[in-house]
Amino acid sequence: MGDAMSAEFGTVAEWTAEVAVDMGEDFYVPAGCRGSGSPAALDWLMNGLALSAGDTLLDCGAGVGGPSAYAAEHRSAAPMLVEPEAGACRAARTLFGYPVVQGSATALPFADQSVDAAWSLGVMCTMSDHLTLLTELRRVVRSPGRIGLLVFLAREPISDDEQPEGNHFPTTGSLVGHVDAAGLRVEDWISTADLPAIPDPWQNSLDEVSSALEQRYGGHRLWQVAEEQSGRMGRLLDEGKISGALVSLRHG
Ligand SMILES: C[S@@+](CC[C@H](N)C(=O)[O-])C[C@H]1O[C@@H](n2cnc3c(N)ncnc32)[C@H](O)[C@@H]1O
């Protein structure tokens, strides 16, 4: 992973956990979801996965682990996290204590058909090998193949200096093609623009965590690098050049 991505997904992930610990347990889940998931998005995905008590849930590219903790809290799922960045692995262990393996979506450290369900949130566009991500998810999830994705899709060509360093956005066409090639099928799909807004208390917690991070680390070069990355993402979303989608998949 390049320096900018490591700053965003490793260093800042670890700082986020430190700040959340200081702020108290009420902040853990929203802080751990800074990477992507809103409650409405996670609820939609959990319904799509038909997630129920005791189901093992592989969180592929788990970041700080907030979405996993949300699934455990709301559905009593049993999360297992895979994440390449050591700092994010430490952050997830500190905040939530679920099993975390340092590894990549391109070679998931799990046996064939060993988990009930899997999701991968905001991960596809941070890697280039989209087909292998889907093939690996298909391999490790047992029938009927309950898989959920949060993906950011390019709606028009995006130049290198516009996009976060190291990102590779799929298009709707490339995603659908790769889903099919991986032996999966789309069961349901929604644009994140059609989801309910983030509730105020959750947004307030996110804002408080972000300002605590800014206050503590704002002068640090790696914070600035990470902010430039997320700023580029925000601009692409604001300009409509990318859009978010939630996708519920099954074995084909
Ligand atoms: C935008 S963050 C999302 C984190 C988390 N899924 C969430 O929703 O809060 C993208 C994550 O993908 C991870 N990632 C990047 N390349 C990966 C790969 N090859 N395999 C698995 N995860 C990867 C990053 O380290 C980062 O934690």
Side-chain angles (χ1 to χ4, degrees):
M1 209 177 277
D3 289 349
M5 291 179 102
S6 279
E8 187 180 13
F9 300 138
T11 310
V12 171
E14 203 154 16
W15 290 345
T16 301
E18 282 171 23
V19 161
V21 165
D22 291 347
M23 294 175 77
E25 280 190 21
D26 288 351
F27 288 88
Y28 287 12
V29 176
C33 289
R34 257 186 108 238
S36 58
S38 72
L42 298 175
D43 289 340
W44 189 95
L45 286 164
M46 292 191 307
N47 287 339
L49 292 176
L51 207 58
S52 61
D55 281 347
T56 46
L57 172 66
L58 168 63
D59 190 343
C60 174
V64 182
S68 279
Y70 189 92
E73 212 171 85
H74 291 262
R75 298 290 174 101
S76 303
M80 298 185 294
L81 285 59
V82 175
E83 165 57 47
E85 282 292 327
C89 292
R90 285 191 291 272
R93 282 193 202 102
T94 301
L95 292 184
F96 305 115
Y98 304 120
V100 183
V101 187
Q102 187 174 5
S104 170
T106 53
L108 286 172
F110 287 90
D112 295 359
Q113 301 189 43
S114 56
V115 298
D116 296 314
W119 65 20
S120 189
L121 311 180
V123 178
M124 185 175 278
C125 65
T126 68
M127 47 190 293
S128 55
D129 194 350
H130 300 167
L131 177 56
T132 302
L133 164 69
L134 293 169
T135 308
E136 278 294 272
L137 290 174
R138 193 203 185 286
R139 179 182 67 76
V140 301
V141 177
R142 60 178 67 98
S143 179
R146 295 180 283 156
I147 296 169
L149 303 174
L150 164 62
V151 288
F152 293 97
L153 299 164
R155 301 173 70 186
E156 55 184 89
I158 297 167
S159 67
D160 281 351
D161 55 350
E162 279 180 301
Q163 67 181 341
E165 197 181 306
N167 275 41
H168 305 269
F169 293 101
T171 61
T172 301
S174 76
L175 176 60
V176 168
H178 285 142
V179 164
D180 189 47
L184 295 165
R185 64 181 168 79
V186 174
E187 184 168 85
D188 204 358
W189 178 300
I190 190 173
S191 164
T192 54
D194 295 332
L195 293 170
I198 296 177
D200 286 344
W202 182 281
Q203 186 60 54
N204 293 341
S205 298
L206 283 179
D207 293 344
E208 282 184 57
V209 170
S210 295
S211 34
L213 278 164
E214 171 87 50
Q215 217 172 352
R216 198 176 294 187
Y217 297 108
H220 201 294
R221 188 185 65 82
L222 293 180
W223 171 260
Q224 290 154 14
V225 169
E227 282 291 280
E228 170 62 21
Q229 289 281 94
S230 48
R232 286 186 188 189
M233 193 79 182
R235 279 192 292 279
L236 289 174
L237 282 165
D238 290 345
E239 291 165 5
K241 293 185 175 174
I242 60 171
S243 61
L246 302 177
V247 186
S248 184
L249 300 171
R250 292 290 184 272
H251 289 170

